[in-house]
Amino acid sequence: QSTTSIASGNSRGIGNRTSAGSFTSTGTPLSPMSPIKLPKVDLPRPPDPQLDPVGYLRSLGAVRERSKIIMDKAMRNELNHFDVDLAKLPNVVTFVSGLIKRDYEAPFNTIPGHGRYQHFCVGGRDRVKELLDSWPESVDSTERCRRLIDLFLVSVLLDAGAGTQWSYKSTENGKIYRRSEGLAVASLEMFKEGLFSGNASNKFQVDKDGLKALTVEKLEAGLQSRPGAELAGLEGRTELLIRLAGALSDKAEYFGADGRPG
């Protein structure tokens, strides 16, 4: 099924729909009345979170348990901004499975993982490992973990549609990167320069002071947004990171006095 037909199916009557959060009653034409039920597929029991918290968080069972909380709220029409229409689920399955079959051959369980780590490794170069290897042994495993969380979080927040014209030339190897891979490399190189750190003794971190000091001009230079190759939404990305600084500052009980995500 084409993307056009799916899009048109999803948009049918969209002009007459209202966010569930704006209803004064508890019912909508969608969530409570969807006729399709999701099948229950049994999974291996996840590890006990008290005995193996890391194993639990990495298990499919944990993902399902946490996601089910949101799904149950959606089916009770308790979300503020979204409806659920399970009648559209077959369209979604057809579209997604069609993309998978278009781009990969069976067996499909050999499809490689895709995420921020893979974006950092564009061109077959493991930049995360190189970063870890560049730090002295005096940087313990806890601090290494904190630094990577800092990096990955700010990098993901910077990643949205880059636009069709934007590109980034690596300051390290001179190669040109675009889209999510370009934003990953750009954010990594900005991180290594200390753009997101307010700590003069450790540039390899993200903290409330570093984020608060960001400006559109600083991100524009770091991301190489320029006439003819502008990065879409630069102002919005800057505002998002500055707002993150406020959240890190307001929640010191979670993020510490230095206000780091990691």
Side-chain angles (χ1 to χ4, degrees):
Q1 188 168 355
S2 69
T3 56
T4 303
S5 63
I6 291 175
S8 62
N10 283 342
S11 62
R12 189 167 51 241
I14 196 73
N16 296 323
R17 289 192 40 199
T18 310
S19 169
S22 64
F23 280 88
T24 55
S25 66
T26 58
T28 77
L30 295 177
S31 302
M33 300 180 64
S34 295
I36 298 175
K37 291 186 177 181
L38 293 175
K40 184 179 185 301
V41 179
D42 291 329
L43 293 176
R45 186 180 182 87
D48 187 327
Q50 300 299 322
L51 301 177
D52 184 7
V54 174
Y56 169 76
L57 290 174
R58 296 179 64 181
S59 70
L60 290 175
V63 174
R64 174 173 288 185
E65 287 177 5
R66 307 314 297 174
S67 300
K68 186 176 184 299
I69 296 173
I70 305 299
M71 186 64 181
D72 288 346
K73 289 177 70 70
M75 298 310 295
R76 294 193 302 267
N77 195 36
E78 294 177 357
L79 299 183
N80 292 327
H81 305 292
F82 297 94
D83 294 310
V84 174
D85 184 1
L86 292 183
K88 300 297 183 184
L89 186 60
N91 287 357
V92 175
V93 172
T94 299
F95 178 60
V96 174
S97 61
L99 289 179
I100 293 173
K101 293 175 181 178
R102 183 196 70 184
D103 295 338
Y104 298 96
E105 296 180 354
F108 298 121
N109 61 357
T110 61
I111 296 174
H114 181 76
R116 204 51 171 175
Y117 198 110
Q118 286 72 30
H119 293 155
F120 284 132
C121 296
V122 60
R125 175 183 167 190
D126 193 339
R127 293 172 178 80
V128 176
K129 182 179 184 302
E130 292 175 2
L131 182 65
L132 288 167
D133 291 343
S134 72
W135 295 331
E137 293 183 0
S138 58
V139 180
D140 63 24
S141 58
T142 299
E143 175 59 23
R144 287 170 181 266
C145 181
R146 295 187 70 192
R147 292 182 181 188
L148 290 185
I149 292 174
D150 287 349
L151 166 63
F152 274 70
L153 178 66
V154 77
S155 183
V156 168
L157 290 180
L158 281 172
D159 191 6
T164 58
Q165 303 300 317
W166 179 80
S167 64
Y168 179 80
K169 182 177 181 179
S170 172
T171 59
E172 297 181 355
N173 62 18
K175 293 184 178 180
I176 303 295
Y177 302 99
R178 294 177 172 82
R179 303 185 183 277
S180 289
E181 290 78 8
L183 288 166
V185 173
S187 59
L188 173 59
E189 294 184 357
M190 288 189 290
F191 175 82
K192 292 165 72 173
E193 290 296 320
L195 184 65
F196 309 112
S197 174
N199 182 358
S201 63
N202 180 22
K203 64 180 181 179
F204 298 108
Q205 70 178 49
V206 176
D207 57 55
K208 61 182 182 182
D209 293 332
L211 295 175
K212 193 180 302 182
L214 289 176
T215 63
V216 173
E217 291 73 23
K218 288 181 179 179
L219 277 187
E220 182 179 53
L223 293 167
Q224 299 177 5
S225 182
R226 56 208 182 276
E230 292 89 353
L231 178 67
L234 188 61
E235 293 80 3
R237 296 170 209 257
T238 307
E239 180 184 356
L240 179 62
L241 294 184
I242 294 174
R243 289 173 60 191
L244 173 60
L248 295 172
S249 179
D250 293 341
K251 299 293 183 180
E253 64 270 29
Y254 299 123
F255 303 110
D258 52 356
R260 290 177 61 182

